[in-house]
Amino acid sequence: MPANGVGYEAQLEAMLEQIRAKGVNDERVLDAMRRTPRHLFVPESHRIYAYDDHALPIGAGQTISQPSLVAQMTQLLELTGREHVLEIGTGSGYQTAILRRLCAQLTTIERFPELTLRALRNLSLLELPPITFVVGDGTCGFPPYAPYDCILVTAGAPPKPPQPLLQQLRPDGGKLLLPLGPREYQLLTRLTKHGSRVRAKTFGECRFVPLVGKYGWQPSEVEGWRQDW
Ligand code: SAH
């Protein structure tokens, strides 16, 4: 695909087939991805790889997530279109766009202002309903709009999940989906809150850039960390 994206549709369809083969069959999720050209979220230097099923660098040492993982995570939220969602880790804005097509209200938090600015620019190329952008530490959640039906964390959290995120979930079935584990790999985990009880279900191994913040990894713990591609 040329860097200007001409002829991307066939590659996008092939990517969707690959995602289907990996077990994502929710047509609403696949359709949201079909309407969200990934090359718009990838820096020009890597645009030819935009429809490969890989994470790619987006600046500030961060990555746009692997599309099959974006699809799987979105499917696991089981969105109906009525939900109030909080996303932690705006990054390129790619997952943000897909979520926004499938929920009623979306707030997204990013710790690097430069990534939020770029995500705003990327998202302005699509026609989407309003999204609230927050620059800050997403491990603290965003209390002004709590409770949330769903919270999605797109960075790897340490084994103990950030407590503010559990507190800001709706108590009758609110879902927190996040990669939990050591720095090098995580288990994709869905925590469902029922009053004071939390039920956990895991969905296999994954590898994300670290969630850095007050209730995540400390900056000194992830120094020297880098993603291989
Ligand atoms: N969904 C994004 C994934 C980006 S990678 C995409 O597909 O493009 C994860 C993002 O989480 C990075 O941009 C990183 O800066 C951000 N992040 C890490 N810790 C964070 C925190 N405590 N609060 C908000 N964002 C955080």
Side-chain angles (χ1 to χ4, degrees):
M1 185 192 65
N4 63 10
V6 167
Y8 77 87
E9 292 88 349
Q11 292 195 24
L12 199 165
E13 284 306 321
M15 179 186 93
L16 293 176
E17 276 317 304
Q18 240 181 313
I19 289 172
R20 241 186 251 279
K22 290 192 172 174
V24 175
N25 45 27
D26 183 332
E27 290 302 327
R28 296 188 62 228
V29 172
L30 293 165
D31 191 55
M33 294 186 79
R34 180 172 291 113
R35 294 192 288 136
T36 309
R38 190 169 183 254
H39 68 270
L40 301 179
F41 296 85
V42 169
E44 230 170 89
S45 54
H46 285 74
R47 211 160 268 175
I48 55 167
Y49 308 116
Y51 294 99
D52 292 354
D53 195 19
H54 290 301
L56 293 169
I58 55 170
Q62 308 302 316
T63 59
I64 177 171
S65 306
Q66 188 181 354
S68 56
L69 207 46
V70 170
Q72 187 192 8
M73 292 198 299
T74 311
Q75 177 165 272
L76 287 172
L77 293 177
E78 299 166 333
L79 297 170
T80 65
R82 291 188 293 270
E83 292 80 3
H84 180 185
V85 177
L86 176 66
E87 179 193 35
I88 318 289
T90 314
S92 66
Y94 178 63
Q95 169 83 74
T96 314
I98 292 160
L99 285 175
R100 189 61 191 95
R101 297 189 188 285
L102 297 168
C103 70
Q105 198 181 333
L106 179 61
T107 302
T108 183
I109 312 182
E110 171 55 55
R111 63 188 276 260
F112 289 107
E114 70 210 73
L115 293 185
T116 295
L117 284 175
R118 207 166 311 144
L120 274 167
R121 213 178 318 135
N122 297 340
L123 288 159
S124 71
L125 303 172
L126 302 172
E127 276 182 22
L128 291 168
I131 297 167
T132 303
F133 292 85
V134 178
V135 175
D137 178 6
T139 66
C140 301
F142 191 63
Y145 293 166
Y148 300 95
D149 298 297
C150 293
I151 301 179
L152 174 63
V153 181
T154 70
K160 183 176 154 54
Q163 294 308 297
L165 301 186
L166 279 170
Q167 283 156 10
Q168 290 170 38
L169 273 188
R170 209 186 69 200
D172 51 338
K175 297 185 189 92
L176 169 59
L177 183 67
L178 75 179
L180 283 181
R183 262 165 308 165
E184 306 308 330
Y185 71 94
Q186 302 87 30
L187 277 180
L188 187 57
T189 308
R190 187 173 62 194
L191 303 175
T192 311
K193 179 169 165 181
H194 297 283
S196 56
R197 295 181 47 196
V198 175
R199 213 179 55 208
K201 195 164 176 199
T202 60
F203 300 90
E205 255 184 45
C206 51
R207 219 168 148 242
F208 278 86
V209 298
L211 179 74
V212 179
K214 186 170 177 197
Y215 299 93
W217 296 105
Q218 301 312 299
S220 59
E221 293 176 305
V222 294
E223 242 165 53
W225 180 94
R226 58 182 288 276
Q227 172 101 12
D228 312 311
W229 29 71

